[in-house]
């Protein structure tokens, strides 16, 4: 492509899109003056406009204009632009070929930009059903991202989005949950279309419920993405997550009774029904321990049986399972049928659980105050 052809193309866009004629004129002027940094900023502002998110405008803009000076501008900005352009291809293999060409140009120039491109390439391999290559590219991207510091959030968004979709494709619930929460930590929620928010929130809910080592629901429940389920036919998932977080067996029975058909339509929940009931029992035990004052952490099997609705002869197995998962530490007394708890895994708390902690702290403060007054009365010479 010649410099004159690129100049002619960008100037011509002002005539075909008069509503953007001023922006195109500024871009043409910056290109003519070879002010690459300022030109990059103007291009980023232009492609962020809604009208550039459909059709093939970005593909044409790259082919007829940006390609002429692509290696003269910031490589990360180039990577963002070309990934956005690749999304406009209707054929994933064409998009893949396009981005592979960009990666070859920048892989030795900017590691951060290359991680962004590699993440998008991995996602495209997943789209065409090549899971093995997707995994290999993600491993390369992981090595690259681990060697970087001060990484742009867009790079993390691309990387964790690809990781999230790969984890879902291979049915790894724990990895999916971890990567999806990291993805949500970096991407502004408003950048995710509403319908995709609902789908992601529901998938996260399924992963949280059936993931074998996931017992902390608080982080998901505190994220705004979960509220996208409200007002939809999937709103029962939000209710179910809150019930599991509280270890509320009675609430669980109510939700199941109200949404029996919806729950039965989810193969993952049906297949892992036994795991779900055991997880709820463990969470009920954790909640029982959490609500107890520190000096009353030796709990009888009978009390645990009542809280978890399990027969007394199944309580010890539940405790053993909780210990093996690293959710708590303590000592089982098989003679007295008690469990002395020394530690419980910390969790992200909801407002009701924070209120319980506040009451516990208030009680502890009063006891400390009482002890102090007693010591002052009994040994004034020591505290004078």
């Amino acid at each position: 492509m010649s410099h004159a052809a690129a100049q002619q193309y960008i100037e011509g866009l002002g005539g075909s899109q008069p509503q953007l004629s001023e922006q195109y004129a500024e871009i043409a002027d910056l290109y003519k003056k070879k002010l690459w940094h300022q030109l990059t900023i103007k291009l980023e502002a232009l492609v962020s406009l809604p009208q550039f998110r459909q059709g093939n405008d970005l593909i044409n803009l790259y082919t007829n204009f940006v390609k002429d000076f692509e290696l003269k501008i910031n490589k990360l900005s180039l990577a963002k632009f070309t990934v956005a352009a690749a999304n406009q291809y209707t054929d994933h293999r064409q998009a893949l070929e396009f981005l592979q060409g960009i990666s070859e140009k920048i892989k030795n120039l900017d590691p951060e930009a290359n991680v962004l491109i590699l993440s998008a390439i991995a996602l495209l391999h997943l789209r065409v059903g090549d899971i093995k290559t997707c995994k290999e590219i993600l491993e390369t991207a992981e090595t690259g991202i681990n060697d970087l510091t001060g990484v742009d959030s867009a790079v993390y968004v691309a990387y964790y989005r690809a990781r999230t979709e790969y984890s879902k494709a291979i049915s790894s619930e724990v990895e999916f949950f971890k990567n999806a929460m990291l993805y949500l930590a970096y991407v502004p929620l408003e950048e995710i279309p509403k319908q995709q928010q609902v789908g992601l929130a529901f998938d996260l809910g399924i992963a949280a419920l059936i993931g074998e080592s996931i017992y902390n629901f608080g982080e998901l429940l505190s994220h705004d993405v979960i509220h996208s389920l409200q007002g939809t036919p999937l709103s029962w998932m939000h209710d179910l997550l809150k019930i599991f977080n509280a270890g509320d067996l009675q609430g669980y029975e109510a939700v199941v009774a109200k949404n029996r058909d919806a729950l039965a339509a989810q193969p993952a929940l049906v297949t892992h029904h036994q795991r779900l009931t055991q997880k709820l029992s463990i969470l009920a035990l954790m909640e029982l321990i959490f609500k107890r004052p520190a000096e009353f952490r030796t709990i009888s099997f009978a009390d645990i049986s009542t809280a978890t609705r399990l027969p007394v002869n199944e309580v010890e197995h539940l405790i053993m399972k909780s210990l093996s998962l690293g959710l708590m530490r303590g000592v089982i007394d098989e003679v007295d049928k008690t469990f002395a708890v020394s530690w419980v895994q910390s969790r992200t708390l909801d407002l009701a659980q924070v209120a319980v902690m506040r009451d516990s702290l208030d009680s502890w403060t009063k006891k400390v105050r009482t002890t102090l007054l007693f010591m002052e009365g009994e040994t004034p010479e020591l505290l004078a």
Side-chain angles (χ1 to χ4, degrees):
M1 179 195 304
S2 68
H3 180 85
Q7 185 79 38
Q8 184 179 5
Y9 175 79
I10 197 66
E11 290 174 351
L13 285 180
S16 61
Q17 300 180 36
Q19 71 276 18
L20 298 173
S21 58
E22 185 177 338
Q23 289 95 318
Y24 285 130
E26 290 179 4
I27 289 172
D29 183 58
L30 293 170
Y31 174 71
K32 186 175 182 179
K33 295 177 180 178
K34 300 182 179 181
L35 298 174
W36 307 124
H37 176 68
Q38 294 89 331
L39 176 58
T40 302
I41 294 173
K42 282 293 181 183
L43 281 173
E44 288 179 342
L46 186 70
V47 300
S48 67
L49 297 174
Q51 53 263 52
F52 278 93
R53 296 175 187 171
Q54 298 178 348
N56 58 358
D57 287 345
L58 293 180
I59 298 172
N60 292 333
L61 188 60
Y62 171 80
T63 304
N64 297 296
F65 182 60
V66 176
K67 191 175 182 179
D68 179 63
F69 56 90
E70 58 186 347
L71 297 183
K72 297 176 182 177
I73 63 175
N74 177 275
K75 304 306 177 292
L76 182 58
S77 297
L78 174 64
K80 292 177 183 178
F81 179 91
T82 51
V83 168
N87 289 334
Q88 295 190 338
Y89 281 99
T90 55
D91 186 325
H92 294 316
R93 295 192 183 278
Q94 284 185 327
L96 195 53
E97 184 180 352
F98 171 69
L99 285 182
Q100 285 170 336
I102 300 298
S103 179
E104 284 299 314
K105 294 176 183 178
I106 68 171
K107 64 182 181 181
N108 296 321
L109 301 176
D110 190 317
E112 187 176 18
N114 195 46
V115 169
L116 178 60
I117 294 289
L118 286 176
S119 299
I121 289 174
L123 197 55
L124 285 167
H125 276 289
L126 195 62
R127 295 277 191 270
V128 299
D130 189 352
I131 294 178
K132 180 176 181 292
T133 304
C134 173
K135 179 185 178 182
E136 292 170 352
I137 294 174
L138 282 175
E139 289 172 352
T140 302
E142 181 180 19
T143 300
I145 209 167
N146 288 339
D147 291 338
L148 296 171
T149 56
V151 180
D152 188 280
S153 62
V155 178
Y156 282 124
V157 168
Y159 174 72
Y160 284 117
R161 181 187 177 193
R163 274 284 180 194
T164 296
E165 297 208 22
Y166 169 75
S167 301
K168 181 179 178 180
I170 63 171
S171 301
S172 176
E173 297 89 9
V174 174
E175 284 298 306
F176 172 81
F177 185 84
K178 180 184 76 173
N179 288 310
M181 292 305 298
L182 285 167
Y183 168 64
L184 288 171
Y186 289 103
V187 65
L189 192 59
E190 60 272 15
E191 291 186 7
I192 305 176
K194 175 67 176 177
Q195 196 57 39
Q196 289 183 25
Q197 290 183 35
V198 173
L200 181 57
F202 186 77
D203 289 342
L204 274 165
I206 293 290
L209 291 170
I210 68 174
E212 192 167 5
S213 61
I214 301 173
Y215 284 82
N216 188 348
F217 296 75
E219 185 180 0
L220 175 57
L221 286 169
S222 64
H223 198 287
D224 287 341
V225 72
I226 204 68
H227 300 303
S228 65
L229 294 172
Q230 295 177 353
T232 74
L234 301 174
S235 59
W236 55 267
M237 175 59 77
H238 189 197
D239 298 333
L240 198 58
L241 290 170
K242 289 191 291 185
I243 283 164
F244 267 74
N245 189 56
D248 182 0
L249 284 91
Q250 186 174 350
Y252 175 71
E253 292 174 353
V255 168
V256 169
K258 184 179 178 181
N259 302 279
R260 196 174 300 278
D261 292 341
L263 289 164
Q266 298 301 321
L269 298 183
V270 175
T271 303
H272 296 91
H273 175 72
Q274 185 174 354
R275 184 184 296 178
L276 285 173
T277 54
Q278 184 182 67
K279 177 176 283 194
L280 185 58
S281 296
I282 290 174
L283 286 164
L285 173 58
M286 293 177 73
E287 193 69 12
L288 171 66
I289 297 168
F290 173 73
K291 289 180 177 179
R292 287 222 168 187
E295 64 270 27
F296 296 111
R297 289 287 176 88
T298 298
I299 310 171
S300 69
F301 282 15
D303 286 346
I304 295 174
S305 172
T306 301
T308 60
R309 298 188 180 182
L310 288 175
V312 174
N313 62 356
E314 294 182 18
V315 166
E316 185 173 354
H317 179 266
L318 182 73
I319 297 171
M320 294 290 288
K321 179 66 176 178
S322 303
L323 293 171
S324 69
L325 288 168
L327 299 172
M328 55 190 72
R329 298 181 196 134
V331 177
I332 299 172
D333 188 326
E334 295 183 2
V335 177
D336 292 337
K337 302 293 182 184
T338 61
F339 177 44
V341 185
S342 58
W343 176 86
V344 180
Q345 183 186 75
S346 59
R347 296 188 290 162
T348 304
L349 306 179
D350 60 22
L351 291 178
Q353 290 167 327
V354 170
V356 171
M357 180 170 283
R358 178 202 61 203
D359 293 342
S360 296
L361 287 171
D362 286 344
S363 175
W364 176 80
T365 302
K366 290 175 183 176
K367 288 176 182 177
V368 170
R369 177 64 178 168
T370 300
T371 302
L372 176 60
L373 292 174
F374 172 78
M375 292 293 292
E376 287 177 342
E378 293 297 316
T379 56
E381 66 282 359
L382 295 177
L383 298 174

